[in-house]
Amino acid sequence: MEFITNGLTAEEFIKQRNGFYQPGIDSSELSENITDEEDPDDTIEIPTIQPVKRSARRHINAAMPLLTIAALICTAVGFLLYGSFFGTLPQENVDAYLRLRVEGGFFANASASFFGALAWAAVPFFTGFCAVGHPVTLLTLPIKGIGIGMAAAYFINGFGANGAAAIAILLAPSAALGTLITAYQCKISLSASSRLFSYITGRYNDARPSVYYGQYISRSVFCAFCCLGVGIIDALISVLCGGMFVIE
């Protein structure tokens, strides 16, 4: 050190540096304190992995309303372009659907509506286990909306005013509830896919998949119970209002 090489005492060295000398401090202890002191310019910052940003979470939280709006837009597109761009629905399939809704009874309608809603929710459920499953998840609701619009156009073109009543009673309730359930499933699926992708790439210090996939599965089971509720509601509507329609 400088005060050693120049032959200065510890007291003289500190006075030259405008410091204060404290009696009783040995010069060897002072030299150790000085040599052990680190230069702040020589410190090396170790990069740390940051948690998932709040902005990304806000984008995922906004997915449900945005996907619902996309489904509504695609429903209008399917309705307006029915018979031209999208073609037409097979008449035998629509007749079988109407016969089931009017004459099928409670349990047949409940099971058919339940499995129909569950099938749409199952698609984003499985893509949630894929780190790059976002494209399929994002396309689920638009495709569902186009199908709803085509079905509504078929009823209007084939039955006129009676078709509008069939849409309002037989189609709209299950379509609206099923869309909301699928939108929620898509939202949690996007969240699970994003967290899995972040974990695999090491971009964020997120929890292991075994931690958040338990919550993902429990929420998906909740969606399945909601699909069961849609089936029950659909069946009640069919039983109570099915007599308003006559199939020739």
Side-chain angles (χ1 to χ4, degrees):
M1 295 303 296
E2 181 179 352
F3 72 90
I4 297 176
T5 58
N6 294 336
L8 300 176
T9 64
E11 180 180 2
E12 294 173 345
F13 177 80
I14 294 174
K15 288 181 178 179
Q16 288 184 4
R17 295 294 185 269
N18 297 324
F20 296 93
Y21 175 71
Q22 295 181 1
I25 298 180
D26 186 72
S27 60
S28 61
E29 295 180 359
L30 180 61
S31 62
E32 290 178 0
N33 294 335
I34 296 175
T35 54
D36 293 339
E37 185 176 348
E38 296 181 359
D39 188 356
D41 296 334
D42 296 337
T43 58
I44 300 175
E45 294 184 0
I46 301 175
T48 58
I49 302 176
Q50 300 297 328
V52 177
K53 296 182 179 180
R54 293 183 179 180
S55 59
R57 294 180 180 178
R58 286 197 297 267
H59 293 160
I60 293 175
N61 291 333
M64 184 172 176
L66 291 177
L67 288 174
T68 304
I69 294 173
L72 294 175
I73 295 174
C74 290
T75 299
V77 171
F79 182 86
L80 295 174
L81 299 182
Y82 177 76
S84 56
F85 183 80
F86 294 114
T88 59
L89 296 175
Q91 183 177 356
E92 57 272 14
N93 292 345
V94 180
D95 291 343
Y97 170 79
L98 289 175
R99 193 171 298 277
L100 173 66
R101 295 302 306 271
V102 175
E103 302 175 355
F106 180 86
F107 292 103
N109 276 282
S111 59
S113 182
F114 164 67
F115 286 110
L118 187 64
W120 283 106
V123 175
F125 169 74
F126 288 111
T127 58
F129 293 97
C130 179
V132 290
H134 298 75
V136 177
T137 304
L138 293 173
L139 287 174
T140 301
L141 272 176
I143 295 175
K144 179 179 175 63
I146 291 174
I148 295 172
M150 292 177 64
Y154 180 93
F155 287 141
I156 294 295
N157 294 336
F159 305 104
N162 293 330
I167 293 173
I169 297 175
L170 301 179
L171 182 63
S174 60
L177 294 175
T179 298
L180 292 177
I181 294 170
T182 307
Y184 179 74
Q185 183 66 58
C186 288
K187 171 193 169 183
I188 62 177
S189 174
L190 291 173
S191 177
S193 296
S194 299
R195 298 183 73 173
L196 180 60
F197 182 81
S198 300
Y199 176 78
I200 292 175
T201 57
R203 296 175 59 191
Y204 301 118
N205 186 17
D206 208 348
R208 290 181 175 272
S210 58
V211 176
Y212 56 81
Y213 269 115
Q215 185 182 46
Y216 174 69
I217 292 175
S218 64
R219 291 180 177 179
S220 299
V221 171
F222 170 75
C223 289
F225 278 105
C226 291
C227 292
L228 178 61
V230 172
I232 295 174
I233 293 174
D234 239 3
L236 290 174
I237 293 175
S238 298
V239 171
L240 296 176
C241 304
M244 297 173 56
F245 304 96
V246 178
I247 300 178
E248 298 179 354

